Amino acid sequence: DPEPLGPADTYPSMVVDKSGTLHLALRHRDDRWQLLYRRKPRNNPWSEPLVIAVSPVPGYNHYMHSLTVGPTGHLHLVYQFHYGDTGRADDCKGRAAIYMRSEDGGDTWLHEDGSTASLPVTIDSMKPVVHFPKGGPGLHYLRVANNVVDELDRVWFFCSVVDNEGGVIFRREGDAWSRIELGGMTGGMDLSGGRSSSLSRGPGGHMHLLVSTRPGGEASSWYDAGNEVFHLEMDSEGAFKDFRQLTETDPAAAQWLPALVNWDWTRPTASCLGGHWFTYTRGTNEGGIGGDNRSPLKTEVYLSRLSPKSNI
Protein backbone atom coordinates (compact mmCIF):
# COMPACT_ATOMS: atom_id res chain seq x y z
CA ASP A 1 0.00 0.00 0.00
CA PRO A 2 1.15 3.59 -0.57
CA GLU A 3 3.05 4.97 2.40
CA PRO A 4 3.48 8.74 2.72
CA LEU A 5 6.93 10.13 3.46
CA GLY A 6 7.52 13.76 4.21
CA PRO A 7 5.47 15.94 4.30
CA ALA A 8 7.98 18.48 2.93
CA ASP A 9 10.11 16.12 0.84
CA THR A 10 10.79 16.36 -2.90
CA TYR A 11 13.17 15.16 -5.64
CA PRO A 12 13.21 11.44 -4.74
CA SER A 13 16.04 9.29 -6.08
CA MET A 14 15.44 5.64 -5.20
CA VAL A 15 17.24 2.39 -6.00
CA VAL A 16 16.87 -1.21 -4.88
CA ASP A 17 19.81 -3.50 -4.11
CA LYS A 18 20.12 -7.25 -4.68
CA SER A 19 18.72 -8.01 -1.20
CA GLY A 20 15.54 -6.06 -1.95
CA THR A 21 16.37 -3.08 0.28
CA LEU A 22 15.07 0.24 -1.00
CA HIS A 23 17.52 3.15 -0.72
CA LEU A 24 16.14 6.68 -1.03
CA ALA A 25 17.78 10.10 -1.24
CA LEU A 26 15.49 13.13 -1.12
CA ARG A 27 15.37 16.84 -0.48
CA HIS A 28 13.71 18.04 2.71
CA ARG A 29 12.42 21.57 3.05
CA ASP A 30 13.40 23.32 6.28
CA ASP A 31 14.90 26.67 7.24
CA ARG A 32 18.11 25.31 5.73
CA TRP A 33 17.08 22.76 3.13
CA GLN A 34 18.55 19.32 3.64
CA LEU A 35 19.54 16.25 1.67
CA LEU A 36 18.22 13.14 3.44
CA TYR A 37 18.83 9.39 3.14
CA ARG A 38 16.40 6.64 4.17
CA ARG A 39 16.19 2.90 3.53
CA LYS A 40 13.58 0.18 3.74
CA PRO A 41 14.78 -3.43 4.06
CA ARG A 42 12.44 -6.01 2.59
CA ASN A 43 9.37 -6.51 4.85
CA ASN A 44 10.58 -3.82 7.27
CA PRO A 45 9.58 -0.18 7.89
CA TRP A 46 11.43 2.85 6.57
CA SER A 47 14.40 3.99 8.62
CA GLU A 48 14.46 7.40 10.22
CA PRO A 49 15.95 10.12 7.98
CA LEU A 50 19.71 10.59 8.01
CA VAL A 51 20.80 14.14 7.12
CA ILE A 52 23.54 13.85 4.50
CA ALA A 53 24.00 17.54 3.68
CA VAL A 54 22.57 20.90 4.68
CA SER A 55 22.37 24.17 2.75
CA PRO A 56 24.78 26.95 3.75
CA VAL A 57 22.02 29.58 3.73
CA PRO A 58 18.35 29.78 4.71
CA GLY A 59 16.05 29.58 1.72
CA TYR A 60 16.04 27.72 -1.57
CA ASN A 61 18.53 25.02 -2.51
CA HIS A 62 18.28 22.04 -4.85
CA TYR A 63 20.79 19.23 -4.71
CA MET A 64 20.05 17.52 -8.07
CA HIS A 65 21.11 14.36 -6.28
CA SER A 66 21.29 10.88 -7.76
CA LEU A 67 21.70 7.62 -5.86
CA THR A 68 22.86 4.40 -7.53
CA VAL A 69 23.94 0.87 -6.62
CA GLY A 70 27.05 -0.43 -8.38
CA PRO A 71 27.89 -4.04 -9.31
CA THR A 72 29.71 -4.48 -5.97
CA GLY A 73 26.62 -3.37 -4.03
CA HIS A 74 28.19 -0.09 -2.95
CA LEU A 75 25.91 2.95 -2.87
CA HIS A 76 27.03 5.98 -4.89
CA LEU A 77 25.64 9.47 -4.28
CA VAL A 78 26.32 12.56 -6.39
CA TYR A 79 24.85 15.95 -5.50
CA GLN A 80 25.52 19.68 -5.71
CA PHE A 81 25.33 22.76 -3.56
CA HIS A 82 23.13 25.22 -5.49
CA TYR A 83 22.17 28.38 -3.63
CA GLY A 84 22.19 32.16 -3.51
CA ASP A 85 23.16 34.32 -0.58
CA THR A 86 19.67 35.85 -0.61
CA GLY A 87 17.96 32.43 -0.38
CA ARG A 88 15.87 33.29 -3.46
CA ALA A 89 15.52 30.65 -6.19
CA ASP A 90 16.26 33.10 -9.00
CA ASP A 91 19.57 34.11 -7.35
CA CYS A 92 20.84 30.54 -7.03
CA LYS A 93 23.89 29.16 -8.83
CA GLY A 94 25.60 25.80 -8.63
CA ARG A 95 28.81 26.06 -6.62
CA ALA A 96 30.12 22.54 -6.01
CA ALA A 97 29.66 18.92 -7.12
CA ILE A 98 30.13 16.29 -4.42
CA TYR A 99 30.52 12.50 -4.58
CA MET A 100 30.05 10.21 -1.58
CA ARG A 101 29.64 6.46 -1.22
CA SER A 102 28.60 3.85 1.30
CA GLU A 103 30.21 0.41 1.35
CA ASP A 104 28.02 -0.94 4.17
CA GLY A 105 24.49 -0.43 2.85
CA GLY A 106 24.02 3.14 4.05
CA ASP A 107 25.30 2.88 7.64
CA THR A 108 28.48 4.86 6.98
CA TRP A 109 29.14 7.44 4.27
CA LEU A 110 32.58 8.16 2.88
CA HIS A 111 34.00 11.25 1.20
CA GLU A 112 35.41 10.87 -2.28
CA ASP A 113 38.90 10.37 -0.78
CA GLY A 114 37.70 7.43 1.32
CA SER A 115 37.61 9.23 4.66
CA THR A 116 34.52 8.85 6.84
CA ALA A 117 32.15 11.80 6.51
CA SER A 118 30.93 13.64 9.57
CA LEU A 119 27.28 14.28 8.79
CA PRO A 120 25.69 16.51 7.77
CA VAL A 121 28.16 17.70 5.14
CA THR A 122 28.34 21.48 4.76
CA ILE A 123 29.91 23.79 2.21
CA ASP A 124 32.84 24.08 4.64
CA SER A 125 33.31 20.38 5.38
CA MET A 126 32.65 19.01 1.87
CA LYS A 127 35.33 17.39 -0.28
CA PRO A 128 34.13 18.34 -3.76
CA VAL A 129 34.93 16.86 -7.14
CA VAL A 130 34.78 20.39 -8.58
CA HIS A 131 34.13 23.73 -6.86
CA PHE A 132 33.35 27.23 -8.15
CA PRO A 133 32.82 29.29 -4.95
CA LYS A 134 31.11 32.22 -6.70
CA GLY A 135 29.31 30.31 -9.41
CA GLY A 136 29.94 31.91 -12.77
CA PRO A 137 28.84 34.76 -15.05
CA GLY A 138 25.45 34.61 -16.74
CA LEU A 139 24.49 31.06 -17.72
CA HIS A 140 27.88 29.65 -16.74
CA TYR A 141 27.36 27.76 -13.52
CA LEU A 142 27.69 24.25 -12.21
CA ARG A 143 24.86 21.74 -12.46
CA VAL A 144 25.11 17.97 -12.02
CA ALA A 145 23.08 15.23 -13.66
CA ASN A 146 22.44 11.64 -12.58
CA ASN A 147 25.34 9.27 -11.99
CA VAL A 148 25.92 5.88 -13.62
CA VAL A 149 28.22 3.08 -12.42
CA ASP A 150 30.01 0.87 -14.94
CA GLU A 151 31.16 -2.76 -14.72
CA LEU A 152 34.45 -1.67 -13.09
CA ASP A 153 32.47 0.18 -10.36
CA ARG A 154 33.59 3.50 -11.87
CA VAL A 155 31.17 6.39 -11.33
CA TRP A 156 30.30 8.64 -14.30
CA PHE A 157 28.27 11.85 -14.19
CA PHE A 158 27.67 14.83 -16.47
CA CYS A 159 28.29 18.31 -15.09
CA SER A 160 28.09 21.76 -16.59
CA VAL A 161 31.06 23.77 -15.36
CA VAL A 162 32.05 27.42 -15.32
CA ASP A 163 35.31 26.87 -17.20
CA ASN A 164 33.96 24.84 -20.15
CA GLU A 165 30.68 25.72 -21.88
CA GLY A 166 30.70 22.39 -23.74
CA GLY A 167 30.18 20.41 -20.53
CA VAL A 168 32.19 17.63 -18.90
CA ILE A 169 31.64 14.03 -17.87
CA PHE A 170 33.55 13.21 -14.71
CA ARG A 171 34.64 9.58 -14.28
CA ARG A 172 36.17 8.16 -11.14
CA GLU A 173 39.46 6.34 -11.86
CA GLY A 174 40.69 4.62 -8.70
CA ASP A 175 41.07 7.46 -6.23
CA ALA A 176 41.07 10.27 -8.82
CA TRP A 177 38.71 11.85 -11.34
CA SER A 178 39.23 12.19 -15.07
CA ARG A 179 37.43 14.79 -17.20
CA ILE A 180 35.87 13.81 -20.53
CA GLU A 181 35.41 17.09 -22.44
CA LEU A 182 32.27 16.97 -24.59
CA GLY A 183 32.64 20.05 -26.80
CA GLY A 184 34.70 18.24 -29.44
CA MET A 185 32.15 15.42 -29.61
CA THR A 186 29.10 17.64 -30.04
CA GLY A 187 30.51 20.12 -32.53
CA GLY A 188 30.69 22.85 -29.92
CA MET A 189 27.15 22.68 -28.56
CA ASP A 190 26.60 24.96 -25.58
CA LEU A 191 25.75 22.91 -22.49
CA SER A 192 26.43 25.62 -19.92
CA GLY A 193 23.97 25.75 -17.06
CA GLY A 194 23.17 22.05 -17.51
CA ARG A 195 19.66 22.82 -18.72
CA SER A 196 18.63 19.18 -18.70
CA SER A 197 20.52 15.94 -19.23
CA SER A 198 20.31 12.23 -18.56
CA LEU A 199 23.02 9.54 -18.59
CA SER A 200 22.64 5.76 -18.80
CA ARG A 201 24.67 2.66 -19.67
CA GLY A 202 23.88 0.17 -22.43
CA PRO A 203 24.11 -3.64 -22.15
CA GLY A 204 27.48 -3.68 -23.93
CA GLY A 205 28.99 -0.91 -21.82
CA HIS A 206 28.45 2.12 -24.05
CA MET A 207 27.35 5.33 -22.32
CA HIS A 208 24.35 7.29 -23.61
CA LEU A 209 23.85 10.97 -22.76
CA LEU A 210 20.74 12.97 -23.65
CA VAL A 211 21.06 16.76 -23.49
CA SER A 212 18.85 19.70 -24.36
CA THR A 213 20.22 22.80 -26.09
CA ARG A 214 19.80 25.02 -29.16
CA PRO A 215 20.67 23.32 -32.47
CA GLY A 216 22.75 26.27 -33.66
CA GLY A 217 25.13 26.04 -30.74
CA GLU A 218 24.09 29.35 -29.17
CA ALA A 219 23.80 29.73 -25.41
CA SER A 220 20.25 29.31 -24.16
CA SER A 221 18.39 29.75 -20.91
CA TRP A 222 16.98 26.97 -18.74
CA TYR A 223 13.55 27.01 -20.43
CA ASP A 224 14.50 28.45 -23.85
CA ALA A 225 11.88 27.68 -26.52
CA GLY A 226 14.70 26.85 -28.96
CA ASN A 227 15.95 23.86 -26.97
CA GLU A 228 15.97 20.44 -28.68
CA VAL A 229 16.96 16.96 -27.47
CA PHE A 230 20.29 15.46 -28.61
CA HIS A 231 21.88 12.04 -28.11
CA LEU A 232 25.61 11.50 -27.51
CA GLU A 233 26.94 7.94 -27.51
CA MET A 234 30.38 7.00 -26.14
CA ASP A 235 32.12 3.67 -25.77
CA SER A 236 32.98 2.11 -22.40
CA GLU A 237 36.10 4.30 -22.11
CA GLY A 238 34.41 7.55 -23.09
CA ALA A 239 35.51 7.69 -26.74
CA PHE A 240 33.12 9.26 -29.26
CA LYS A 241 30.74 6.99 -31.17
CA ASP A 242 27.81 9.13 -32.37
CA PHE A 243 26.01 12.44 -31.87
CA ARG A 244 22.64 13.35 -33.34
CA GLN A 245 19.55 15.49 -32.82
CA LEU A 246 16.54 13.40 -31.78
CA THR A 247 13.70 15.94 -31.95
CA GLU A 248 12.59 17.81 -35.05
CA THR A 249 13.52 21.48 -34.73
CA ASP A 250 10.55 23.44 -33.41
CA PRO A 251 11.34 27.07 -32.46
CA ALA A 252 7.87 27.56 -30.94
CA ALA A 253 8.38 25.36 -27.89
CA ALA A 254 11.18 23.80 -25.89
CA GLN A 255 11.73 20.08 -26.36
CA TRP A 256 13.73 19.25 -23.29
CA LEU A 257 13.91 17.54 -19.86
CA PRO A 258 14.95 14.15 -21.31
CA ALA A 259 15.09 11.17 -18.94
CA LEU A 260 16.62 7.83 -19.95
CA VAL A 261 15.77 4.54 -18.26
CA ASN A 262 18.49 4.04 -15.64
CA TRP A 263 20.93 1.16 -15.94
CA ASP A 264 20.21 -1.49 -13.29
CA TRP A 265 22.97 -3.72 -11.87
CA THR A 266 20.42 -5.94 -10.08
CA ARG A 267 19.32 -7.24 -13.50
CA PRO A 268 22.24 -6.63 -15.90
CA THR A 269 21.16 -9.31 -18.41
CA ALA A 270 17.78 -7.64 -18.94
CA SER A 271 18.38 -3.93 -18.32
CA CYS A 272 17.85 -1.62 -21.32
CA LEU A 273 17.58 -4.42 -23.88
CA GLY A 274 16.19 -3.45 -27.29
CA GLY A 275 17.04 0.24 -26.91
CA HIS A 276 16.71 2.69 -24.05
CA TRP A 277 13.24 4.07 -23.40
CA PHE A 278 13.23 7.78 -22.57
CA THR A 279 10.78 10.60 -21.98
CA TYR A 280 10.97 14.30 -22.78
CA THR A 281 8.60 17.25 -22.68
CA ARG A 282 7.47 19.82 -25.22
CA GLY A 283 6.15 23.18 -24.08
CA THR A 284 7.05 26.51 -22.55
CA ASN A 285 7.59 27.68 -19.01
CA GLU A 286 5.63 30.93 -19.16
CA GLY A 287 6.47 31.88 -15.59
CA GLY A 288 10.14 31.06 -15.64
CA ILE A 289 12.44 31.05 -12.66
CA GLY A 290 11.19 33.76 -10.36
CA GLY A 291 7.92 34.03 -12.28
CA ASP A 292 4.50 32.53 -11.70
CA ASN A 293 5.19 28.82 -12.05
CA ARG A 294 1.58 28.08 -11.08
CA SER A 295 0.23 29.59 -14.29
CA PRO A 296 -1.39 27.13 -16.73
CA LEU A 297 1.22 25.64 -19.03
CA LYS A 298 0.71 23.79 -22.26
CA THR A 299 3.17 20.95 -21.80
CA GLU A 300 3.17 17.59 -23.56
CA VAL A 301 5.12 14.53 -22.41
CA TYR A 302 6.52 12.11 -24.99
CA LEU A 303 7.78 8.54 -24.69
CA SER A 304 10.33 7.35 -27.22
CA ARG A 305 13.12 4.84 -27.63
CA LEU A 306 16.69 4.92 -28.86
CA SER A 307 17.16 2.66 -31.85
CA PRO A 308 18.66 -0.76 -31.06
CA LYS A 309 21.78 0.04 -33.12
CA SER A 310 22.61 2.67 -30.49
CA ASN A 311 22.05 0.28 -27.58
CA ILE A 312 25.55 -1.19 -27.27
Side-chain angles (χ1 to χ4, degrees):
D1 293 331
E3 182 177 351
L5 300 176
D9 296 340
T10 50
Y11 287 89
S13 178
M14 188 172 72
V15 290
V16 59
D17 66 22
K18 292 180 180 179
S19 70
T21 296
L22 302 178
H23 300 271
L24 174 66
L26 50 91
R27 183 183 70 168
H28 174 70
R29 182 172 184 171
D30 209 323
D31 174 55
R32 292 178 183 263
W33 288 18
Q34 303 167 357
L35 176 60
L36 305 183
Y37 164 77
R38 304 183 74 170
R39 67 184 174 203
K40 185 184 186 302
R42 186 189 296 272
N43 300 321
N44 282 277
W46 284 98
S47 67
E48 291 299 312
L50 176 67
V51 183
I52 298 290
V54 62
S55 176
V57 297
Y60 188 83
N61 189 346
H62 69 65
Y63 295 96
M64 296 300 292
H65 47 278
S66 65
L67 182 65
T68 58
V69 177
T72 62
H74 294 171
L75 296 171
H76 302 276
L77 178 66
V78 173
Y79 62 96
Q80 67 184 25
F81 278 116
H82 175 96
Y83 63 93
D85 293 335
T86 64
R88 290 167 46 86
D90 46 336
D91 293 333
C92 289
K93 287 191 174 183
R95 314 301 179 94
I98 301 96
Y99 163 73
M100 297 172 64
R101 71 182 182 275
S102 176
E103 299 178 355
D104 57 11
D107 287 338
T108 306
W109 289 89
L110 307 177
H111 288 295
E112 61 97 21
D113 64 359
S115 61
T116 301
S118 177
L119 302 179
V121 173
T122 68
I123 197 76
D124 296 318
S125 67
M126 68 175 181
K127 296 188 178 181
V129 178
V130 60
H131 184 202
F132 301 102
K134 296 183 179 179
L139 299 174
H140 295 267
Y141 54 83
L142 178 148
R143 192 182 188 101
V144 300
N146 65 296
N147 81 78
V148 176
V149 187
D150 68 16
E151 62 277 9
L152 301 178
D153 219 33
R154 298 181 299 185
V155 176
W156 304 53
F157 71 93
F158 169 80
C159 188
S160 65
V161 291
V162 171
D163 58 352
N164 189 325
E165 64 185 17
V168 174
I169 285 181
F170 289 92
R171 184 179 66 198
R172 186 166 178 80
E173 305 274 4
D175 294 326
W177 292 90
S178 62
R179 287 172 58 125
I180 301 173
E181 311 284 345
L182 301 184
M185 301 186 195
T186 66
M189 288 291 184
D190 189 290
L191 303 181
S192 57
R195 285 166 297 283
S196 57
S197 50
S198 180
L199 182 66
S200 190
R201 179 188 183 274
H206 282 202
M207 290 291 174
H208 300 269
L209 176 69
L210 297 189
V211 295
S212 179
T213 189
R214 294 182 66 94
E218 307 93 341
S220 62
S221 60
W222 170 246
Y223 47 89
D224 194 305
N227 288 337
E228 302 293 341
V229 178
F230 294 81
H231 171 220
L232 173 63
E233 180 180 351
M234 295 162 285
D235 70 13
S236 60
E237 292 302 315
F240 174 82
K241 297 301 294 184
D242 188 42
F243 180 70
R244 58 194 173 117
Q245 183 174 332
L246 297 182
T247 53
E248 185 176 347
T249 300
D250 178 5
Q255 301 192 91
W256 63 322
L257 301 178
L260 282 162
V261 169
N262 292 332
W263 176 257
D264 184 358
W265 279 114
T266 68
R267 39 196 296 276
T269 60
S271 185
C272 302
L273 289 179
H276 284 74
W277 290 99
F278 68 97
T279 59
Y280 67 95
T281 68
R282 178 187 179 277
T284 58
N285 184 337
E286 296 173 349
I289 302 301
D292 181 6
N293 285 304
R294 295 170 297 178
S295 61
L297 307 179
K298 294 182 179 179
T299 300
E300 301 165 336
V301 180
Y302 290 86
L303 174 67
S304 188
R305 200 174 197 178
L306 297 179
S307 59
K309 70 176 182 180
S310 298
N311 195 47
I312 299 174

